């Protein structure tokens, strides 16, 4: 049993069952025992692998996308290049290397990281020494803002609601019947008290059939609206990449990964990566409330191909050994093939209203 499990069990005993979003926030972000606070979860030794960790091509192409978008908006200087949830800092390091050839951009940009994990911040500092760190959005400096967020939104807490006869009722986390002080057991349970107002649900969800489950991430909507508000005021853009669905869909997408295996999200809070699929329609709605234009979401494979991943891989292979060339081919396939990350992962771009359509989103 983990220290965090004991802490959560005590909270539930003292204050009652907690919304799933609260459980998820504690499991991932508890300042001392939260999953991200205590470890580097990435790579073969960790729990999951992300696109920038698969290949340098990913960060390079994202860097060039930022450059093109910045130039198309008149090269504002200074500009803030902010990454949310930068992991090991690999994406940013690859992006900055690719940007070196763009006149004026390195001089104009300030790198800012929004990150809550001390372990990952330390790794980021090794890869990108000259960044500035923030543990929340609102301390980012004001100015033209270019945001990158890869696999950030899937880690933000969600609430879940189930449509019962009496209305939409929230799923809470409570202690199971066989739970003891020494071995707490958590399980989800629906509070049979219906929502008084359906405003919180996606419009597409409100008339779903009985027993449908709807997910709502207030944190994702808030981050998106805040980012959009800054871009509206100061110019800039955002590139949001994650696994998820284009349209708000019914269904439970809560999952937990430990050592690359799916595990029960309620079993070892703080020890497994808990995520949900991102509802991109909800992000688009929040972006519009924030006052910007949304492009996409399009599939990651389509996006990377449009930015020239194949040409980049050919260039890299020309200088590579046979073994390296094979790895580059495998990486290109993993990032773009429909049955790998090419289709499940989506890319959404936000720009000021009336700004040029960003690269990759023209169709
Ligand atoms: N973008 C990286 C890492 C993805 S993992 C990559 O693609 O490899 C999720 C990242 O988001 C981690 O860096 C984690 O510490 C960070 N994170 C999770 N919740 C956060 C929050 N509420 N605020 C800031 N960072 C958060």
């Amino acid at each position: 049993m983990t220290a965090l499990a004991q802490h959560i069990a005590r909270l539930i005993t003292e204050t009652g069952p907690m919304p799933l979003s609260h459980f998820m926030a504690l499991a991932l972000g508890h300042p001392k025992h939260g999953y991200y606070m205590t470890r580097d979860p990435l790579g073969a030794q960790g729990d999951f692998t992300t696109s920038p960790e698969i290949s340098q091509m990913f960060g390079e192409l994202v860097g060039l996308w930022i450059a093109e978008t910045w130039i198309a908006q008149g090269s504002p200087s200074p500009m803030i290049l902010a990454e949310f949830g930068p992991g090991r800092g690999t994406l940013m390091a690859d992006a900055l290397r690719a940007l070196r050839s763009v006149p004026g951009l390195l001089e104009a940009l300030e790198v800012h990281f929004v990150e809550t994990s001390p372990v990952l911040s330390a790794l980021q500092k090794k890869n990108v020494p000259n960044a500035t760190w923030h543990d929340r959005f609102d301390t980012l400096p004001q100015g033209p803002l270019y945001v990158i967020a890869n696999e950030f939104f899937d880690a933000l807490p969600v609430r879940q609601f189930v449509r019962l006869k009496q209305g939409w009722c929230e799923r809470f986390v409570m202690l199971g019947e066989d739970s003891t002080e020494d071995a707490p057991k958590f399980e989800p349970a629906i509070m049979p008290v219906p929502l008084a107002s359906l405003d919180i649900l996606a419009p597409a969800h409100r008339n779903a059939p009985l027993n449908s489950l709807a997910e709502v991430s207030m944190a994702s909507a808030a981050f998106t609206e805040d980012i959009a508000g800054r871009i509206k005021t100061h110019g800039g853009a955002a590139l949001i990449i994650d696994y998820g669905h284009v349209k708000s869909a019914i269904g439970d997408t809560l999952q937990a990964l430990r050592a690359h295996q799916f595990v029960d999200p309620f079993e070892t809070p703080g020890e497994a990566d808990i995520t949900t699929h991102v509802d991109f329609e909800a992000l688009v709605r929040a972006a519009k409330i924030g006052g910007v234009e949304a492009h996409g979401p399009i599939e990651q494979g389509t996006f990377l191909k449009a930015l020239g991943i194949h040409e980049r891989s050919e260039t890299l292979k020309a200088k590579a050994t046979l073994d390296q060339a094979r790895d580059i081919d495998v990486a290109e396939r993993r990032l773009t093939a429909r049955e790998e990350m090419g289709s499940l992962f989506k890319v959404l771009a936000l720009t000021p209203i009336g700004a040029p359509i960003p690269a990759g989103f023209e169709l």
Side-chain angles (χ1 to χ4, degrees), residues 73-361:
Q73 295 179 3
S75 312
S77 176
M79 71 92 115
I80 296 144
L81 180 55
E83 185 174 354
F84 286 57
R88 292 178 175 167
T90 308
L91 191 163
M92 186 60 82
D94 292 335
L96 291 174
R97 200 180 49 253
L99 290 179
R100 277 200 303 234
S101 57
V102 180
L105 182 46
L106 271 191
E107 296 71 35
L109 67 79
E110 287 171 24
V111 177
H112 291 263
F113 286 149
V114 179
E115 175 59 77
T116 41
S117 161
V119 180
L120 290 172
S121 296
L123 286 172
Q124 291 153 20
K125 205 168 178 64
K126 280 196 188 143
N127 283 321
V128 188
N130 294 323
T132 306
W133 278 263
H134 305 260
D135 59 6
R136 46 191 299 158
F137 171 84
D138 33 320
T139 55
L140 282 176
Q142 303 285 338
L145 175 67
Y146 294 79
V147 167
I148 304 168
N150 185 60
E151 290 211 39
F152 170 73
F153 282 91
D154 64 71
L156 297 179
V158 300
R159 293 170 71 179
Q160 290 185 331
F161 300 91
V162 178
R163 184 165 195 187
L164 301 181
K165 276 203 291 293
Q166 64 268 45
W168 285 95
C169 299
E170 185 157 7
R171 220 171 164 211
F172 278 64
V173 179
M174 53 184 264
L175 294 172
E177 262 177 35
D178 52 347
S179 183
T180 62
E181 216 167 294
D182 293 331
K185 295 248 167 57
F186 304 103
E187 57 185 45
I190 303 168
M191 279 281 160
V193 185
L195 282 174
S197 155
L198 300 189
D199 284 355
I200 186 179
L201 299 177
H205 285 158
R206 291 176 197 157
N207 290 318
L210 271 188
N211 299 321
S212 298
L213 185 149
E215 293 178 336
V216 178
S217 176
M218 320 276 277
S220 298
F223 268 113
T224 308
E225 213 178 305
D226 284 346
I227 291 168
R230 290 279 184 108
I231 292 172
K232 179 187 174 193
T233 309
H234 300 286
L239 192 66
I240 297 170
I241 308 170
D242 225 307
Y243 48 95
H245 32 271
V246 173
K247 293 277 166 210
S248 296
I250 285 299
D252 181 0
T253 71
L254 186 73
Q255 64 181 46
L257 272 181
R258 196 172 175 180
H260 300 263
Q261 304 289 324
F262 287 106
V263 294
D264 177 349
F266 300 104
E267 201 157 303
T268 48
E271 296 294 317
D273 181 40
I274 306 181
T275 62
T276 58
H277 285 210
V278 172
D279 176 354
F280 278 93
E281 194 181 356
L283 299 193
V284 169
R285 224 172 19 248
K288 290 191 172 150
I289 293 171
V292 299
E293 213 157 301
H295 308 271
I298 59 175
E299 294 185 352
Q300 172 167 301
T302 310
F303 178 70
L304 293 177
K305 283 179 201 162
L307 295 192
I309 190 168
H310 191 60
E311 294 71 13
R312 183 69 191 128
S313 97
E314 292 297 317
T315 309
L316 286 174
K317 280 192 293 185
K319 290 178 277 182
T321 65
L322 271 182
D323 275 355
Q324 288 167 336
R326 203 169 317 122
D327 289 347
I328 295 166
D329 275 336
V330 169
E332 182 188 342
R333 214 188 110 69
R334 275 183 80 182
L335 294 176
T336 58
R338 292 193 65 91
E339 59 281 18
E340 305 252 0
M341 301 172 85
S343 181
L344 176 61
F345 280 72
K346 311 288 186 306
V347 187
L348 173 69
L350 310 181
T351 58
I353 289 170
I357 295 175
F361 293 89

